[in-house]
Amino acid sequence: MGNSLKAIVAFVPSDGCQKYLLEDLEEMPVDKMVDLSGRQLRRLPLHICSFRELVKLYLSNNNLTHLPPELEQLQNLQILALDFNNFRALPPAVCALKQLCILYLGNNKLCSLPLELRLLQNLRTLWIESNCLQQLPEVVCELSLLKTLHAGSNALRTLPTRLRGLRELRSIWLSGNLLAEFPSVLLHMPSLEVIDVDRNSIRFFPSLAHLPGLKLVIYDHNPCRNAPKVAKGVRRVGRWSEESPEPRKRSGAVIEISLHERPPPPSANKAEPEAEVC
């Protein structure tokens, strides 16, 4: 079935047309996973909510703007993918899924997150990149078991000081925001292993050498005049990192290494860790 035909059928709300889009998904699969990504869905068929033992539900790349209250019946759900849709607000039913470990909300139109998100105390990985967030919602700081936070490509200028309370947080991805200064709260999070502040507006980097857990810092594409100092064995990706020397200092002035002295720049491809399964 071509995407153009799916798009036409998606506008017809009849049960028959929705069944056509689902390709006769009548019973819960044996692997307890339902993948309805890229089906041009405008609403979630209610019978999916009757799959009480469902563990993984992928609804990425559709045209969803809301979800039915019946979704909260899926109390065994651990992974929910809602990225690449048209959500302007997080559907309330999502916050009732207390076994969720991984929640994908990227590439929507979210400007905030509800306080009820704090009910998801099993959440380990949260993707909220490519939304309309001008500040990191404070409720994120109440997700005590959170290990990975993807918040890139928003309009963040600062981070809340309460973020330091996330003692389990291991990686934070903040590329493509509006940070003019390195977030000071990250200097007080010794458990961090990965810090990504690529493509921001940071001009100066403080030393990160005191962070004992740090393994990787990505700071490329910032108008900075220095590289962050790190402990031995920590990988840096950016100007004057391991692959290219820092600028030479002479009489207090900063003089850059000439082009013929510079080694080839590091690869632009940076691999993000895969989301962990609970």
Side-chain angles (χ1 to χ4, degrees):
M1 175 172 30
N3 287 334
S4 58
L5 180 56
K6 285 184 180 180
I8 295 173
V9 174
F11 277 100
V12 183
S14 70
D15 291 338
C17 288
Q18 293 299 309
K19 183 178 179 180
Y20 185 54
L21 288 173
L22 295 178
E23 299 178 0
D24 295 324
L25 179 62
E26 296 286 349
E27 299 179 356
M28 186 182 72
V30 177
D31 60 3
K32 299 181 180 181
M33 178 186 77
V34 169
D35 188 353
L36 298 176
S37 301
R39 302 292 183 94
Q40 306 290 333
L41 295 176
R42 294 181 176 274
R43 62 185 178 90
L44 178 66
L46 285 180
H47 79 275
I48 299 297
C49 300
S50 67
F51 298 166
R52 302 295 179 89
E53 301 301 315
L54 199 64
V55 174
K56 303 176 184 179
L57 178 57
Y58 297 93
L59 299 172
S60 307
N61 195 22
N62 282 293
N63 295 307
L64 299 171
T65 58
H66 66 280
L67 293 173
E70 289 82 358
L71 183 74
E72 68 178 57
Q73 297 174 12
L74 304 180
Q75 285 300 309
N76 289 298
L77 206 61
Q78 296 183 18
I79 299 177
L80 177 60
L82 300 175
D83 48 326
F84 293 94
N85 277 284
N86 293 310
F87 292 105
R88 294 183 179 274
L90 185 65
V94 174
C95 297
L97 304 174
K98 297 182 180 181
Q99 297 303 313
L100 276 184
C101 298
I102 302 175
L103 179 58
Y104 297 90
L105 298 174
N107 290 273
N108 279 285
K109 301 174 181 178
L110 300 173
C111 294
S112 63
L113 294 174
L115 293 177
E116 289 78 11
L117 189 72
R118 64 170 66 128
L119 299 175
L120 303 182
Q121 285 300 308
N122 282 308
L123 207 61
R124 265 72 167 179
T125 301
L126 177 62
W127 297 67
I128 51 175
E129 79 284 2
S130 299
N131 275 286
C132 305
L133 299 171
Q134 295 186 4
Q135 58 186 10
L136 187 69
E138 290 274 350
V139 68
V140 172
C141 302
E142 299 186 39
L143 303 173
S144 60
L145 296 183
L146 197 66
K147 298 185 70 174
T148 302
L149 175 60
H150 290 264
S153 299
N154 280 285
L156 305 181
R157 296 180 182 273
T158 60
L159 295 181
T161 56
R162 291 179 60 202
L163 195 69
R164 65 190 297 180
L166 296 182
R167 302 186 184 278
E168 298 299 318
L169 195 65
R170 295 296 183 268
S171 61
I172 184 165
W173 305 83
L174 299 166
S175 65
N177 277 288
L178 301 176
L179 300 172
E181 298 180 354
F182 184 84
S184 60
V185 65
L186 302 183
L187 300 176
H188 304 283
M189 302 180 70
S191 296
L192 280 177
E193 298 178 357
V194 178
I195 299 175
D196 177 11
V197 289
D198 183 22
R199 294 186 293 114
N200 278 277
S201 301
I202 301 172
R203 294 185 175 276
F204 173 78
F205 282 95
S207 173
L208 305 178
H210 66 288
L211 298 178
L214 194 61
K215 297 179 181 178
L216 171 65
V217 55
I218 305 169
Y219 63 95
D220 210 5
H221 304 100
N222 280 280
C224 56
R225 300 299 297 173
N226 73 309
K229 293 183 179 180
V230 294
K232 185 178 180 180
V234 178
R235 185 187 175 202
R236 298 182 300 181
V237 177
R239 198 177 189 191
W240 308 311
S241 65
E242 294 91 351
E243 294 82 1
S244 54
E246 295 195 23
R248 292 175 180 169
K249 293 183 179 179
R250 185 180 302 167
S251 301
V254 175
I255 302 177
E256 296 186 17
I257 307 298
S258 62
L259 286 175
H260 72 273
E261 293 179 283
R262 294 178 183 170
S267 171
N269 295 327
K270 62 184 183 207
E272 297 183 354
E274 295 182 0
E276 57 205 57
V277 179
C278 308

